[in-house]
Amino acid sequence: MSPLSQFVRLSSLDAVPESLRGAYVAIGNFDGVHRGHQSVLSTLKARAAEAGVPAVVLTFEPHPRDVFAPAPFLFRLTDGNAKARLVEAFGLDAITILNFDRDFSQIEAEDFVSRFLVDALGVTGVIVGADFHFGRQRRGTPTFLKAAGDAQGFAVEVLGLMDEGQEVISSSRIRAALSEGAVVAANRLLGYHWFFDGCVVKGDQRGRELGYPTANTMTHANFQLAQGVYAVRARLGDRLFDGVAAFGKPMFNNQRPPFETHLFDFDEDIYGQTITVALVAHIRGQEVFSGLDELIAAMDRDSNKARAQLAAAKPISELDHRLGFFG
């Protein structure tokens, strides 16, 4: 069996294509698909290539922590669509995104192995991080998985966590950086420029009146990016734009504000279209100005800074380049 020629995305393992059986599989939540996760994916890619089988990621949506919370509370770095985009850009063959709910959480670890890994996928090998657990009451530890692999005839490799500085690279560390506006630090830990999608909706039209029309996208209640102004690069279909964006409206209604992106040298009606925004740099925090003239002057300065930062921006990695925000 050889790796696939076209990326495959599955939402269940009820009818796995024959071309995916025998794959090497990496399992995890992979929120952010950060550099620590990428070390797992690099090993997956290498082991699959050695065995001549597809490299497949098995992940879950929504995040288990959101399922057990009274209400969704986790600041998500990547939804299922973003994870799939990153896995494909990384050069892997397929991703399976299983729906995680309370019923799924009650699957016994033994059943998870037999049902998904052995019967559905017929895995050649499995790779996980040292902190991965699965099955009812999280009984599926890395040690359990190794024993199951020995019994069922598939290889298991458990990888340690990746350090940077005096801390491991983790999704929570990246969330904390973004919540402080530390975009450069967050992007360094991710290994690419953090991005998110949104459908363009009508706002209050105030930006147009100020000479800065914006593409507004609504944010989730748990979107915890620091309010402020950012240099961004945006994709609209196949087109790529530089821009400056604001999150938060301290001078107006600041209850769950939209993310407002002003695309440079652009004036089209794009309501209802999906825009993907990548954060390149944090320009400043939110400020309250004495009037509209002072606000417009600040927006002019922000735009000039954003243009300069974007002109100097480069991809962080090959993965970042493949994501398509840098031409």
Side-chain angles (χ1 to χ4, degrees):
M1 185 183 297
S2 60
L4 309 183
S5 59
Q6 187 172 7
F7 186 75
V8 176
R9 177 173 174 175
L10 299 176
S11 59
S12 79
L13 291 172
D14 293 337
V16 175
E18 189 62 30
S19 59
L20 287 182
R21 287 190 56 80
Y24 242 94
V25 178
I27 314 173
N29 290 311
F30 298 119
D31 187 33
V33 194
H34 55 61
R35 283 172 42 220
H37 298 143
Q38 290 164 38
S39 69
V40 174
L41 302 187
S42 292
T43 302
L44 168 67
K45 194 173 183 179
R47 299 292 179 268
E50 291 165 3
V53 300
V56 177
V57 169
L58 177 58
T59 189
F60 315 95
E61 288 292 333
H63 196 287
R65 286 175 61 184
D66 274 341
V67 171
F68 292 105
F73 74 98
L74 190 64
F75 176 19
R76 293 296 307 279
L77 300 173
T78 45
D79 61 13
N81 289 330
K83 283 196 279 191
R85 192 178 310 173
L86 284 156
V87 167
E88 182 177 11
F90 202 80
L92 305 183
D93 296 301
I95 187 170
T96 298
I97 305 175
L98 297 182
N99 180 58
F100 190 95
D101 56 19
R102 288 181 179 270
D103 287 342
F104 189 94
S105 74
Q106 296 305 303
I107 296 174
E108 297 289 349
E110 294 86 352
D111 293 339
F112 183 96
V113 171
S114 61
R115 177 178 167 188
F116 298 125
L117 303 184
V118 177
D119 294 342
L121 286 165
V123 296
T124 294
V126 175
I127 300 174
V128 295
D131 58 347
F132 177 68
H133 292 69
F134 64 97
R136 185 169 177 265
Q137 297 179 337
R138 293 168 54 86
R139 285 184 51 247
T141 63
T143 301
F144 173 95
L145 187 59
K146 279 197 168 188
D150 290 341
Q152 299 277 9
F154 59 85
V156 174
E157 193 165 348
V158 180
L159 302 182
L161 304 181
M162 179 182 286
D163 294 334
E164 176 162 296
Q166 298 182 353
E167 299 180 70
V168 298
I169 297 175
S170 66
S171 302
S172 58
R173 185 177 173 189
I174 296 164
R175 292 184 195 108
L178 289 171
S179 70
E180 296 170 357
V183 170
V184 172
N187 289 345
R188 184 184 69 248
L189 295 171
L190 287 165
Y192 62 88
H193 289 78
W194 185 60
F195 65 90
F196 55 92
D197 291 334
C199 178
V200 179
V201 299
K202 275 202 171 185
D204 54 21
Q205 308 292 301
R206 189 173 285 111
R208 184 170 295 278
E209 295 172 2
L210 300 176
Y212 283 91
T214 57
N216 296 350
T217 55
M218 296 310 298
T219 58
H220 297 290
N222 49 2
F223 188 79
Q224 295 170 16
L225 177 70
Q227 293 196 5
V229 179
Y230 297 87
V232 301
R233 189 152 282 167
R235 292 200 71 87
L236 189 64
D238 294 330
R239 295 183 293 171
L240 190 63
F241 298 93
D242 285 351
V244 62
F247 179 52
K249 300 167 82 75
M251 293 180 66
F252 308 101
N253 179 9
N254 203 31
Q255 296 298 312
R256 195 178 166 188
F259 192 89
E260 302 176 280
T261 304
H262 172 69
L263 303 177
F264 296 141
D265 309 313
F266 179 84
D267 185 16
E268 296 178 22
D269 183 345
I270 55 173
Y271 295 126
Q273 296 186 40
T274 297
I275 189 171
T276 305
V277 179
L279 300 191
V280 174
H282 179 256
I283 294 176
R284 62 172 173 84
Q286 283 292 11
E287 300 176 34
V288 176
F289 300 97
S290 60
L292 294 183
D293 289 342
E294 188 177 339
L295 172 60
I296 293 170
M299 294 166 73
D300 291 340
R301 292 193 298 272
D302 296 338
S303 294
N304 290 335
K305 289 179 182 178
R307 286 181 186 274
Q309 289 169 326
L310 290 160
K314 297 178 180 178
I316 298 170
S317 64
E318 179 59 27
L319 172 61
D320 200 24
H321 174 72
R322 290 180 179 176
L323 288 170
F325 291 105
F326 292 89

